[in-house]
Amino acid sequence: MTDRKETHQREDLPHYDHPSGGWGSLKSVAKHMGQERPSAGVMETLMRQNKPGGHMCTSCAWTKPPNPHIAEFCENGAKATLWDLTRDRCGPDFFARHTVSELRTWPDYDLEIEGRLTHPMRYDPVSDKYVEATWDEAFSAIGAKLREIRAKDPKSVVFYASGRASLETSYLYALLARLYGNNNLPDSSNMCHETTSVGLKNVTGSSVGTCVLSDFDHCDMILFFGQNTGTNSPRFLHPLRAAKKRGCQIVTFNPVREAGLVTFRDPQNPVEMLGGKETVISDRYLQLKPGGDVAVLAGLCKRVFEVDDEQGGGVIDRQFVAQHTSGWPEFEAKIREIDWADIERVSGLRHEDIVEVGEMYCNSEKVIGIYGMGLTQHVHGSLNIAMYVNLLLMRGNIGREGAGISPVRGHSNVQGQRTVGISEKPELVPLDKIDELFGFKSPRDEGTTTVDAVKGILDGSIKGFVSLGGNFARAIPDQGRADPAWQDLEINVQIATKLNRSHTLVGKEAWLLPCLVRSELDMQATGPQAVSMEDSLSMIHGSEGKREPASKMLRSEPFIVAGIAKATLDPNPKVKWDDWVGDYALVRDLIEETYPDKFTDFNARLFTAGGFYKGNPARERTWKTETGKAIFTAPKTLSALGQVPDKDSYTLVTVRSNDQFNTTIYGFNDRLRGLKTDRHVVMMNPEMIAKAGLTEGQEVTLSCAVDDGETREVGGLRVVPYDLPDDTVLAYYPETNPLVPLDYHDELSKTPAYKGVPVRIRA
Ligand SMILES: Nc1nc2c(c(=O)[nH]1)N[C@H]1C(S)=C(S)[C@@H](COP(=O)(O)OP(=O)(O)OC[C@H]3O[C@@H](n4cnc5c(=O)[nH]c(N)nc54)[C@H](O)[C@@H]3O)O[C@H]1N2
Ligand SMILES: Nc1nc2c(c(=O)[nH]1)N[C@H]1C(S)=C(S)[C@@H](COP(=O)(O)OP(=O)(O)OC[C@H]3O[C@@H](n4cnc5c(=O)[nH]c(N)nc54)[C@H](O)[C@@H]3O)O[C@H]1N2
Ligand SMILES: [Mo]
């Protein structure tokens, strides 16, 4: 086991501008290889990562190029794979030594570092321990309990999914829920890009981005709003660097100076590595206030109007606006009426800086708009996205080569899960087609989002929870509040690779079902199986694992989903779980039949280099919106925040470090922010620290400033000076999730407002 104690040493504060990539990232991987006790042959496995014939990385959703680098993986992709391929095992002997009550008190890191789960485990309430079981025992007990619950109320079971499982697994999982009798299919997307699925769809008719990789070869400007490339999608730095070398301009809006968006040193380029050269990524880096994006985007739109006026037209693409959009008059009137002083106040940026970027935008022919959680995780997150689309539409920057809107997704197949039917929104799924294929009437009522599912656990209306991966209890807002309510669940079924806190929140019955990881060989009746996933740019890739599984008792996710389904559901001659598990190509045929326009010749194209494109009507300027056109939105507010800070409150932004993947903590450093820390920190700028009467290193407590009768506090956070806007504090997810109110979410999509939490600080 690794030494869990890391010393707290800070370097280069208050901010860190060393290049991302470079030796730092190689060292970090190498350190990790030593630390994580990888099993033999991991280097070979890594060399196959993200290439045809190999497995697709389980870390981020960034696209896999048709002409991969020799090593088409990044520091974090390597960490994710090494984390999966550790030699450590968390088997029956481990569980014999620890009660579940004890494990509940362990930190996330300590649970996961125990290694790969090896056996199906049943919770035994008498000994308060997980005990070994066979797969048959697991399936028959789970099936019996789920049938019993269904007889009373089929809507009282939730089928959660974290965005890693393949398209094949996801299709089967969604079918299981619908045959069971509900659309309770919340996904990690509900905490992530659901704002995109709803907000972007409202205005463009498409719930996904419109760009493909080759667009990055043609754009002359890229805008970045609230996406931290160096940490969360490092392979994207390669096309960015190439775009820079071509002369493309990049402008970033982010409250935090994120090293990856400042400079990049390519670990695959000997000249940059040895010569100490680096590529400057952002031409302008504007540290706006959190939630200031609506104002900034309004300012940029306003400047486009001004320049168009000054030049007597020709800046706004009037022909495009007339032919392809609706809502223009209201939008124009509103933007013209907004005051620059208000834009400056809400964004925290200077008029001249916004004007300068507005003019760069007017002078650019092809512009791509990138965004991430900095836009989606706000109370007015959908408005953020609508404003971004406004700006792009003004100059026809959607639906042509080198231009478009490009949300960067999180989990490696989160976008794909939504594509193949994991959705609580029945209107997004071709249910008639599914009914026809499988001879049943699927439920038509709205299912539970993540927020609804937590509420259902709290109020007792949810009786059963099935989790296809993830760490629901730690990732959610109001973390901890629902923990005691889990014990009232009739059953908690967790399909997982490593132990985490959600597994310790046992119900009256609980099962822990260990599965294969993507780099492992998946052998079924007809031979080794491949699976598939969809990346951020809507490319579909096949993935094949080759490694010997970590334990003989592991089963694939399709096998486990089918096992639960067979034991739970009434027999149906059109539903052939055994055949499908025996040959995943049959599942791909079903996906193709259900979604013929997106998955034409699915099996034949499975291993297309660089993936095959799912297509997107908005890219072709076909707008599947309410008006049949792309929609301009007149903003009804200038701040994306639900609550603007007053004189003694702050806006808390919760972020990831480069040493974590969501609730999986790999280590305690945040190299790209120059921090060596125990993660229990709160960052703020030195003036704010002084103004609050605090000192560096002092321990403080954060409390939520939303006045709804609940007390929400996180204590033991050490003050760290950091280059941030005023009134802003930065802390880590998931440690500070208890501060986020469950009802504090995007108004349209219910995505939690993790990036704009009003808080107070006390010593
Ligand atoms: N290594 C690693 N990779 C990951 C993950 C991980 O945990 N670790 N998680 C994966 C997942 S599921 C996801 S969704 C993605 C997340 O990837 P990102 O979308 O990059 O998410 P975050 O790191 O949460 O924060 C994004 C950025 O938004 C900025 N920001 C915060 N508030 C605002 C604001 O109001 N306005 C603007 N303009 N910017 C703001 C933050 O400073 C931060 O730089 O990454 C995926 N990849
Ligand atoms: N405060 C705050 N909260 C946030 C966010 C934030 O920015 N700030 N971000 C939100 C976002 S964007 C997301 S996506 C959610 C993430 O929420 P989740 O997706 O639920 O959480 P993860 O931490 O990704 O899940 C990790 C667990 O997945 C399991 N696992 C790993 N690989 C596999 C696999 O191949 N198969 C199976 N079956 N299981 C596997 C392991 O047991 C591991 O412990 O968190 C959200 N919460
Ligand atoms: Mo995510």
Side-chain angles (χ1 to χ4, degrees), residues 112 160 162 164 191-192 377 411 469-471 475 495 497-498 500 515 557 654 656 662-663 733 737 754-755:
E112 285 215 25
Y160 173 69
S162 154
R164 264 187 180 135
M191 299 182 254
C192 181
Q377 294 175 336
H411 271 299
N471 188 1
I495 303 166
T497 53
K498 287 194 170 184
N500 68 43
C515 64
E557 290 176 320
T654 61
R656 306 160 154 78
N662 297 341
T663 67
Y733 143 60
N737 280 39
Y754 295 125
K755 298 290 186 270

PDB file of all heavy atoms in Angstrom, residues 112 160 162 164 191-192 377 411 469-471 475 495 497-498 500 515 557 654 656 662-663 733 737 754-755, ligand 2:
ATOM      1  N   GLU A 112     -10.364   3.234  -2.480  1.00  0.00           N
ATOM      2  CA  GLU A 112     -10.021   2.803  -3.853  1.00  0.00           C
ATOM      3  C   GLU A 112      -8.628   2.194  -3.948  1.00  0.00           C
ATOM      4  O   GLU A 112      -8.377   1.322  -4.771  1.00  0.00           O
ATOM      5  CB  GLU A 112     -10.157   3.984  -4.832  1.00  0.00           C
ATOM      6  CG  GLU A 112     -11.610   4.306  -5.133  1.00  0.00           C
ATOM      7  CD  GLU A 112     -11.839   4.776  -6.562  1.00  0.00           C
ATOM      8  OE1 GLU A 112     -11.043   4.439  -7.465  1.00  0.00           O
ATOM      9  OE2 GLU A 112     -12.835   5.490  -6.775  1.00  0.00           O
ATOM     10  N   TYR A 160     -29.097   4.156 -12.122  1.00  0.00           N
ATOM     11  CA  TYR A 160     -28.102   5.209 -12.378  1.00  0.00           C
ATOM     12  C   TYR A 160     -26.971   4.666 -13.249  1.00  0.00           C
ATOM     13  O   TYR A 160     -26.639   3.476 -13.175  1.00  0.00           O
ATOM     14  CB  TYR A 160     -27.533   5.700 -11.035  1.00  0.00           C
ATOM     15  CG  TYR A 160     -26.366   6.667 -11.158  1.00  0.00           C
ATOM     16  CD1 TYR A 160     -26.565   7.953 -11.663  1.00  0.00           C
ATOM     17  CD2 TYR A 160     -25.066   6.297 -10.766  1.00  0.00           C
ATOM     18  CE1 TYR A 160     -25.498   8.848 -11.777  1.00  0.00           C
ATOM     19  CE2 TYR A 160     -24.009   7.195 -10.875  1.00  0.00           C
ATOM     20  CZ  TYR A 160     -24.223   8.459 -11.379  1.00  0.00           C
ATOM     21  OH  TYR A 160     -23.165   9.341 -11.490  1.00  0.00           O
ATOM     22  N   SER A 162     -22.915   5.888 -14.544  1.00  0.00           N
ATOM     23  CA  SER A 162     -21.808   6.819 -14.666  1.00  0.00           C
ATOM     24  C   SER A 162     -21.274   6.621 -16.082  1.00  0.00           C
ATOM     25  O   SER A 162     -21.313   5.518 -16.608  1.00  0.00           O
ATOM     26  CB  SER A 162     -20.783   6.482 -13.595  1.00  0.00           C
ATOM     27  OG  SER A 162     -19.508   6.881 -13.963  1.00  0.00           O
ATOM     28  N   ARG A 164     -19.104   5.743 -18.097  1.00  0.00           N
ATOM     29  CA  ARG A 164     -18.007   4.939 -18.638  1.00  0.00           C
ATOM     30  C   ARG A 164     -18.468   3.742 -19.449  1.00  0.00           C
ATOM     31  O   ARG A 164     -17.780   3.317 -20.372  1.00  0.00           O
ATOM     32  CB  ARG A 164     -17.145   4.423 -17.492  1.00  0.00           C
ATOM     33  CG  ARG A 164     -15.949   5.296 -17.253  1.00  0.00           C
ATOM     34  CD  ARG A 164     -15.036   4.669 -16.228  1.00  0.00           C
ATOM     35  NE  ARG A 164     -13.892   5.531 -16.017  1.00  0.00           N
ATOM     36  CZ  ARG A 164     -13.407   5.838 -14.833  1.00  0.00           C
ATOM     37  NH1 ARG A 164     -13.973   5.363 -13.747  1.00  0.00           N
ATOM     38  NH2 ARG A 164     -12.345   6.613 -14.724  1.00  0.00           N
ATOM     39  N   MET A 191     -25.147  15.684 -13.787  1.00  0.00           N
ATOM     40  CA  MET A 191     -24.362  16.578 -12.923  1.00  0.00           C
ATOM     41  C   MET A 191     -23.324  17.327 -13.748  1.00  0.00           C
ATOM     42  O   MET A 191     -22.444  17.965 -13.212  1.00  0.00           O
ATOM     43  CB  MET A 191     -23.644  15.752 -11.850  1.00  0.00           C
ATOM     44  CG  MET A 191     -24.582  14.998 -10.943  1.00  0.00           C
ATOM     45  SD  MET A 191     -23.667  14.098  -9.688  1.00  0.00           S
ATOM     46  CE  MET A 191     -23.798  12.417 -10.277  1.00  0.00           C
ATOM     47  N   CYS A 192     -23.427  17.226 -15.067  1.00  0.00           N
ATOM     48  CA  CYS A 192     -22.274  17.537 -15.903  1.00  0.00           C
ATOM     49  C   CYS A 192     -22.722  18.352 -17.111  1.00  0.00           C
ATOM     50  O   CYS A 192     -22.919  19.559 -17.016  1.00  0.00           O
ATOM     51  CB  CYS A 192     -21.655  16.190 -16.266  1.00  0.00           C
ATOM     52  SG  CYS A 192     -20.210  16.210 -17.258  1.00  0.00           S
ATOM     53  N   GLN A 377     -22.316  24.301 -15.021  1.00  0.00           N
ATOM     54  CA  GLN A 377     -22.669  24.082 -13.608  1.00  0.00           C
ATOM     55  C   GLN A 377     -23.001  25.394 -12.909  1.00  0.00           C
ATOM     56  O   GLN A 377     -22.336  25.809 -11.953  1.00  0.00           O
ATOM     57  CB  GLN A 377     -21.532  23.332 -12.897  1.00  0.00           C
ATOM     58  CG  GLN A 377     -21.362  21.900 -13.434  1.00  0.00           C
ATOM     59  CD  GLN A 377     -20.180  21.172 -12.835  1.00  0.00           C
ATOM     60  OE1 GLN A 377     -19.219  21.786 -12.374  1.00  0.00           O
ATOM     61  NE2 GLN A 377     -20.221  19.842 -12.857  1.00  0.00           N
ATOM     62  N   HIS A 411     -16.914  12.052 -18.897  1.00  0.00           N
ATOM     63  CA  HIS A 411     -16.645  10.625 -18.952  1.00  0.00           C
ATOM     64  C   HIS A 411     -16.522  10.156 -20.398  1.00  0.00           C
ATOM     65  O   HIS A 411     -17.175  10.676 -21.300  1.00  0.00           O
ATOM     66  CB  HIS A 411     -17.798   9.854 -18.310  1.00  0.00           C
ATOM     67  CG  HIS A 411     -17.653   9.629 -16.840  1.00  0.00           C
ATOM     68  ND1 HIS A 411     -16.612   8.923 -16.306  1.00  0.00           N
ATOM     69  CD2 HIS A 411     -18.428  10.005 -15.794  1.00  0.00           C
ATOM     70  CE1 HIS A 411     -16.764   8.854 -14.985  1.00  0.00           C
ATOM     71  NE2 HIS A 411     -17.848   9.520 -14.646  1.00  0.00           N
ATOM     72  N   GLY A 469     -21.615   1.568 -12.335  1.00  0.00           N
ATOM     73  CA  GLY A 469     -20.419   2.380 -12.115  1.00  0.00           C
ATOM     74  C   GLY A 469     -20.728   3.630 -11.318  1.00  0.00           C
ATOM     75  O   GLY A 469     -21.853   3.845 -10.863  1.00  0.00           O
ATOM     76  N   GLY A 470     -19.696   4.459 -11.143  1.00  0.00           N
ATOM     77  CA  GLY A 470     -19.877   5.740 -10.482  1.00  0.00           C
ATOM     78  C   GLY A 470     -19.794   5.682  -8.975  1.00  0.00           C
ATOM     79  O   GLY A 470     -19.614   4.615  -8.370  1.00  0.00           O
ATOM     80  N   ASN A 471     -19.907   6.849  -8.407  1.00  0.00           N
ATOM     81  CA  ASN A 471     -19.856   7.005  -6.949  1.00  0.00           C
ATOM     82  C   ASN A 471     -20.885   8.071  -6.598  1.00  0.00           C
ATOM     83  O   ASN A 471     -20.556   9.182  -6.190  1.00  0.00           O
ATOM     84  CB  ASN A 471     -18.435   7.407  -6.532  1.00  0.00           C
ATOM     85  CG  ASN A 471     -18.242   7.411  -5.031  1.00  0.00           C
ATOM     86  OD1 ASN A 471     -19.146   7.107  -4.258  1.00  0.00           O
ATOM     87  ND2 ASN A 471     -17.035   7.774  -4.608  1.00  0.00           N
ATOM     88  N   ALA A 475     -20.614  12.182  -5.463  1.00  0.00           N
ATOM     89  CA  ALA A 475     -20.597  13.155  -6.566  1.00  0.00           C
ATOM     90  C   ALA A 475     -21.738  14.162  -6.463  1.00  0.00           C
ATOM     91  O   ALA A 475     -21.671  15.244  -7.036  1.00  0.00           O
ATOM     92  CB  ALA A 475     -20.689  12.411  -7.900  1.00  0.00           C
ATOM     93  N   ILE A 495     -22.467  -1.986  -9.459  1.00  0.00           N
ATOM     94  CA  ILE A 495     -21.579  -2.657 -10.419  1.00  0.00           C
ATOM     95  C   ILE A 495     -20.323  -1.794 -10.496  1.00  0.00           C
ATOM     96  O   ILE A 495     -20.413  -0.616 -10.864  1.00  0.00           O
ATOM     97  CB  ILE A 495     -22.246  -2.758 -11.805  1.00  0.00           C
ATOM     98  CG1 ILE A 495     -23.583  -3.485 -11.690  1.00  0.00           C
ATOM     99  CG2 ILE A 495     -21.309  -3.434 -12.815  1.00  0.00           C
ATOM    100  CD1 ILE A 495     -24.487  -3.349 -12.906  1.00  0.00           C
ATOM    101  N   THR A 497     -15.651  -1.393 -10.237  1.00  0.00           N
ATOM    102  CA  THR A 497     -14.305  -1.934 -10.390  1.00  0.00           C
ATOM    103  C   THR A 497     -13.505  -1.822  -9.101  1.00  0.00           C
ATOM    104  O   THR A 497     -12.666  -2.657  -8.805  1.00  0.00           O
ATOM    105  CB  THR A 497     -13.553  -1.173 -11.482  1.00  0.00           C
ATOM    106  OG1 THR A 497     -13.613   0.226 -11.180  1.00  0.00           O
ATOM    107  CG2 THR A 497     -14.169  -1.423 -12.847  1.00  0.00           C
ATOM    108  N   LYS A 498     -13.756  -0.720  -8.374  1.00  0.00           N
ATOM    109  CA  LYS A 498     -13.025  -0.492  -7.126  1.00  0.00           C
ATOM    110  C   LYS A 498     -13.990   0.005  -6.064  1.00  0.00           C
ATOM    111  O   LYS A 498     -15.017   0.618  -6.387  1.00  0.00           O
ATOM    112  CB  LYS A 498     -11.930   0.549  -7.352  1.00  0.00           C
ATOM    113  CG  LYS A 498     -10.758   0.011  -8.147  1.00  0.00           C
ATOM    114  CD  LYS A 498      -9.597   0.969  -8.032  1.00  0.00           C
ATOM    115  CE  LYS A 498      -8.343   0.348  -8.598  1.00  0.00           C
ATOM    116  NZ  LYS A 498      -7.188   1.231  -8.396  1.00  0.00           N
ATOM    117  N   ASN A 500     -15.795   2.122  -3.325  1.00  0.00           N
ATOM    118  CA  ASN A 500     -15.951   3.541  -2.994  1.00  0.00           C
ATOM    119  C   ASN A 500     -17.081   3.739  -1.996  1.00  0.00           C
ATOM    120  O   ASN A 500     -17.759   2.782  -1.612  1.00  0.00           O
ATOM    121  CB  ASN A 500     -16.132   4.392  -4.259  1.00  0.00           C
ATOM    122  CG  ASN A 500     -17.443   4.132  -4.972  1.00  0.00           C
ATOM    123  OD1 ASN A 500     -18.499   4.017  -4.354  1.00  0.00           O
ATOM    124  ND2 ASN A 500     -17.369   4.031  -6.295  1.00  0.00           N
ATOM    125  N   CYS A 515     -16.714  -5.822 -12.058  1.00  0.00           N
ATOM    126  CA  CYS A 515     -16.705  -6.013 -13.514  1.00  0.00           C
ATOM    127  C   CYS A 515     -15.308  -5.832 -14.103  1.00  0.00           C
ATOM    128  O   CYS A 515     -14.400  -5.316 -13.456  1.00  0.00           O
ATOM    129  CB  CYS A 515     -17.699  -5.058 -14.173  1.00  0.00           C
ATOM    130  SG  CYS A 515     -17.293  -3.327 -13.972  1.00  0.00           S
ATOM    131  N   GLU A 557     -19.632  -5.984 -18.080  1.00  0.00           N
ATOM    132  CA  GLU A 557     -20.836  -5.210 -17.766  1.00  0.00           C
ATOM    133  C   GLU A 557     -22.070  -5.726 -18.529  1.00  0.00           C
ATOM    134  O   GLU A 557     -23.141  -5.864 -17.932  1.00  0.00           O
ATOM    135  CB  GLU A 557     -20.591  -3.716 -18.010  1.00  0.00           C
ATOM    136  CG  GLU A 557     -19.635  -3.141 -16.966  1.00  0.00           C
ATOM    137  CD  GLU A 557     -19.261  -1.695 -17.189  1.00  0.00           C
ATOM    138  OE1 GLU A 557     -19.047  -1.312 -18.349  1.00  0.00           O
ATOM    139  OE2 GLU A 557     -19.174  -0.949 -16.208  1.00  0.00           O
ATOM    140  N   THR A 654     -16.035  24.882  -7.280  1.00  0.00           N
ATOM    141  CA  THR A 654     -15.422  23.581  -6.952  1.00  0.00           C
ATOM    142  C   THR A 654     -14.806  23.001  -8.218  1.00  0.00           C
ATOM    143  O   THR A 654     -15.451  22.974  -9.263  1.00  0.00           O
ATOM    144  CB  THR A 654     -16.456  22.598  -6.381  1.00  0.00           C
ATOM    145  OG1 THR A 654     -17.477  22.375  -7.366  1.00  0.00           O
ATOM    146  CG2 THR A 654     -17.083  23.125  -5.113  1.00  0.00           C
ATOM    147  N   ARG A 656     -11.571  20.258 -10.127  1.00  0.00           N
ATOM    148  CA  ARG A 656     -10.769  19.034 -10.088  1.00  0.00           C
ATOM    149  C   ARG A 656      -9.292  19.389 -10.113  1.00  0.00           C
ATOM    150  O   ARG A 656      -8.906  20.409 -10.682  1.00  0.00           O
ATOM    151  CB  ARG A 656     -11.047  18.218 -11.346  1.00  0.00           C
ATOM    152  CG  ARG A 656     -12.477  17.934 -11.557  1.00  0.00           C
ATOM    153  CD  ARG A 656     -12.751  17.570 -13.019  1.00  0.00           C
ATOM    154  NE  ARG A 656     -13.940  16.742 -13.072  1.00  0.00           N
ATOM    155  CZ  ARG A 656     -15.170  17.227 -12.977  1.00  0.00           C
ATOM    156  NH1 ARG A 656     -15.382  18.520 -12.863  1.00  0.00           N
ATOM    157  NH2 ARG A 656     -16.197  16.402 -13.017  1.00  0.00           N
ATOM    158  N   ASN A 662     -12.679  12.675 -11.064  1.00  0.00           N
ATOM    159  CA  ASN A 662     -13.919  12.812 -10.299  1.00  0.00           C
ATOM    160  C   ASN A 662     -13.682  12.390  -8.853  1.00  0.00           C
ATOM    161  O   ASN A 662     -12.790  12.904  -8.205  1.00  0.00           O
ATOM    162  CB  ASN A 662     -15.069  12.058 -10.965  1.00  0.00           C
ATOM    163  CG  ASN A 662     -15.384  12.622 -12.340  1.00  0.00           C
ATOM    164  OD1 ASN A 662     -15.010  13.750 -12.636  1.00  0.00           O
ATOM    165  ND2 ASN A 662     -16.067  11.874 -13.162  1.00  0.00           N
ATOM    166  N   THR A 663     -14.464  11.431  -8.354  1.00  0.00           N
ATOM    167  CA  THR A 663     -14.306  11.077  -6.941  1.00  0.00           C
ATOM    168  C   THR A 663     -13.123  10.144  -6.711  1.00  0.00           C
ATOM    169  O   THR A 663     -12.807   9.826  -5.569  1.00  0.00           O
ATOM    170  CB  THR A 663     -15.581  10.400  -6.385  1.00  0.00           C
ATOM    171  OG1 THR A 663     -15.738   9.132  -7.010  1.00  0.00           O
ATOM    172  CG2 THR A 663     -16.817  11.265  -6.644  1.00  0.00           C
ATOM    173  N   TYR A 733     -13.598  19.503  -5.424  1.00  0.00           N
ATOM    174  CA  TYR A 733     -14.669  18.506  -5.518  1.00  0.00           C
ATOM    175  C   TYR A 733     -13.989  17.164  -5.315  1.00  0.00           C
ATOM    176  O   TYR A 733     -12.904  16.981  -5.850  1.00  0.00           O
ATOM    177  CB  TYR A 733     -15.302  18.642  -6.919  1.00  0.00           C
ATOM    178  CG  TYR A 733     -15.762  17.410  -7.632  1.00  0.00           C
ATOM    179  CD1 TYR A 733     -16.742  16.590  -7.080  1.00  0.00           C
ATOM    180  CD2 TYR A 733     -15.233  17.055  -8.875  1.00  0.00           C
ATOM    181  CE1 TYR A 733     -17.183  15.460  -7.764  1.00  0.00           C
ATOM    182  CE2 TYR A 733     -15.681  15.935  -9.556  1.00  0.00           C
ATOM    183  CZ  TYR A 733     -16.644  15.141  -8.987  1.00  0.00           C
ATOM    184  OH  TYR A 733     -17.090  14.031  -9.658  1.00  0.00           O
ATOM    185  N   ASN A 737     -18.474  19.088  -1.554  1.00  0.00           N
ATOM    186  CA  ASN A 737     -19.859  18.877  -2.022  1.00  0.00           C
ATOM    187  C   ASN A 737     -20.945  19.026  -0.958  1.00  0.00           C
ATOM    188  O   ASN A 737     -22.088  19.313  -1.309  1.00  0.00           O
ATOM    189  CB  ASN A 737     -19.984  17.511  -2.710  1.00  0.00           C
ATOM    190  CG  ASN A 737     -19.476  17.562  -4.142  1.00  0.00           C
ATOM    191  OD1 ASN A 737     -18.479  18.212  -4.424  1.00  0.00           O
ATOM    192  ND2 ASN A 737     -20.165  16.899  -5.039  1.00  0.00           N
ATOM    193  N   TYR A 754     -22.456  23.644  -9.227  1.00  0.00           N
ATOM    194  CA  TYR A 754     -21.208  23.386  -8.505  1.00  0.00           C
ATOM    195  C   TYR A 754     -20.168  24.498  -8.673  1.00  0.00           C
ATOM    196  O   TYR A 754     -19.169  24.516  -7.979  1.00  0.00           O
ATOM    197  CB  TYR A 754     -20.564  22.092  -9.011  1.00  0.00           C
ATOM    198  CG  TYR A 754     -21.313  20.801  -8.766  1.00  0.00           C
ATOM    199  CD1 TYR A 754     -21.629  19.961  -9.831  1.00  0.00           C
ATOM    200  CD2 TYR A 754     -21.634  20.381  -7.480  1.00  0.00           C
ATOM    201  CE1 TYR A 754     -22.253  18.735  -9.630  1.00  0.00           C
ATOM    202  CE2 TYR A 754     -22.262  19.150  -7.271  1.00  0.00           C
ATOM    203  CZ  TYR A 754     -22.573  18.335  -8.353  1.00  0.00           C
ATOM    204  OH  TYR A 754     -23.180  17.119  -8.153  1.00  0.00           O
ATOM    205  N   LYS A 755     -20.362  25.355  -9.677  1.00  0.00           N
ATOM    206  CA  LYS A 755     -19.353  26.394  -9.915  1.00  0.00           C
ATOM    207  C   LYS A 755     -19.780  27.761  -9.387  1.00  0.00           C
ATOM    208  O   LYS A 755     -19.118  28.760  -9.660  1.00  0.00           O
ATOM    209  CB  LYS A 755     -19.076  26.523 -11.427  1.00  0.00           C
ATOM    210  CG  LYS A 755     -18.511  25.269 -12.066  1.00  0.00           C
ATOM    211  CD  LYS A 755     -17.100  24.985 -11.642  1.00  0.00           C
ATOM    212  CE  LYS A 755     -16.498  23.823 -12.388  1.00  0.00           C
ATOM    213  NZ  LYS A 755     -16.717  22.516 -11.721  1.00  0.00           N
TER     214      LYS A 755
HETATM  215  N1  LIG B   2     -18.712  19.803  -6.441  1.00  0.00           N
HETATM  216  C1  LIG B   2     -18.702  19.181  -7.631  1.00  0.00           C
HETATM  217  N2  LIG B   2     -19.363  18.022  -7.768  1.00  0.00           N
HETATM  218  C2  LIG B   2     -19.359  17.389  -8.966  1.00  0.00           C
HETATM  219  C3  LIG B   2     -18.671  17.949 -10.071  1.00  0.00           C
HETATM  220  C4  LIG B   2     -17.982  19.188  -9.892  1.00  0.00           C
HETATM  221  O1  LIG B   2     -17.360  19.744 -10.820  1.00  0.00           O
HETATM  222  N3  LIG B   2     -18.024  19.769  -8.657  1.00  0.00           N
HETATM  223  N4  LIG B   2     -18.702  17.291 -11.280  1.00  0.00           N
HETATM  224  C5  LIG B   2     -19.828  16.410 -11.556  1.00  0.00           C
HETATM  225  C6  LIG B   2     -19.552  15.603 -12.756  1.00  0.00           C
HETATM  226  S1  LIG B   2     -19.106  16.486 -14.144  1.00  0.00           S
HETATM  227  C7  LIG B   2     -19.675  14.266 -12.795  1.00  0.00           C
HETATM  228  S2  LIG B   2     -19.530  13.465 -14.298  1.00  0.00           S
HETATM  229  C8  LIG B   2     -20.000  13.471 -11.580  1.00  0.00           C
HETATM  230  C9  LIG B   2     -19.247  12.126 -11.547  1.00  0.00           C
HETATM  231  O2  LIG B   2     -19.974  11.200 -10.855  1.00  0.00           O
HETATM  232  P1  LIG B   2     -19.756   9.607 -11.057  1.00  0.00           P
HETATM  233  O3  LIG B   2     -19.609   9.294 -12.494  1.00  0.00           O
HETATM  234  O4  LIG B   2     -20.854   8.918 -10.326  1.00  0.00           O
HETATM  235  O5  LIG B   2     -18.431   9.349 -10.270  1.00  0.00           O
HETATM  236  P2  LIG B   2     -16.963   8.801 -10.573  1.00  0.00           P
HETATM  237  O6  LIG B   2     -16.123   9.406  -9.527  1.00  0.00           O
HETATM  238  O7  LIG B   2     -16.567   9.060 -11.966  1.00  0.00           O
HETATM  239  O8  LIG B   2     -17.097   7.222 -10.294  1.00  0.00           O
HETATM  240  C10 LIG B   2     -15.969   6.518  -9.842  1.00  0.00           C
HETATM  241  C11 LIG B   2     -16.268   5.050  -9.568  1.00  0.00           C
HETATM  242  O9  LIG B   2     -16.651   4.382 -10.747  1.00  0.00           O
HETATM  243  C12 LIG B   2     -16.288   3.003 -10.662  1.00  0.00           C
HETATM  244  N5  LIG B   2     -15.730   2.592 -11.947  1.00  0.00           N
HETATM  245  C13 LIG B   2     -14.585   3.012 -12.524  1.00  0.00           C
HETATM  246  N6  LIG B   2     -14.428   2.414 -13.739  1.00  0.00           N
HETATM  247  C14 LIG B   2     -15.508   1.621 -13.922  1.00  0.00           C
HETATM  248  C15 LIG B   2     -15.934   0.763 -14.972  1.00  0.00           C
HETATM  249  O10 LIG B   2     -15.277   0.609 -15.999  1.00  0.00           O
HETATM  250  N7  LIG B   2     -17.132   0.135 -14.791  1.00  0.00           N
HETATM  251  C16 LIG B   2     -17.877   0.263 -13.658  1.00  0.00           C
HETATM  252  N8  LIG B   2     -19.030  -0.394 -13.569  1.00  0.00           N
HETATM  253  N9  LIG B   2     -17.479   1.046 -12.658  1.00  0.00           N
HETATM  254  C17 LIG B   2     -16.326   1.731 -12.792  1.00  0.00           C
HETATM  255  C18 LIG B   2     -15.271   2.859  -9.587  1.00  0.00           C
HETATM  256  O11 LIG B   2     -15.811   1.997  -8.593  1.00  0.00           O
HETATM  257  C19 LIG B   2     -15.060   4.289  -9.066  1.00  0.00           C
HETATM  258  O12 LIG B   2     -14.991   4.331  -7.668  1.00  0.00           O
HETATM  259  O13 LIG B   2     -19.646  14.257 -10.411  1.00  0.00           O
HETATM  260  C20 LIG B   2     -20.263  15.527 -10.378  1.00  0.00           C
HETATM  261  N10 LIG B   2     -20.007  16.194  -9.100  1.00  0.00           N
END
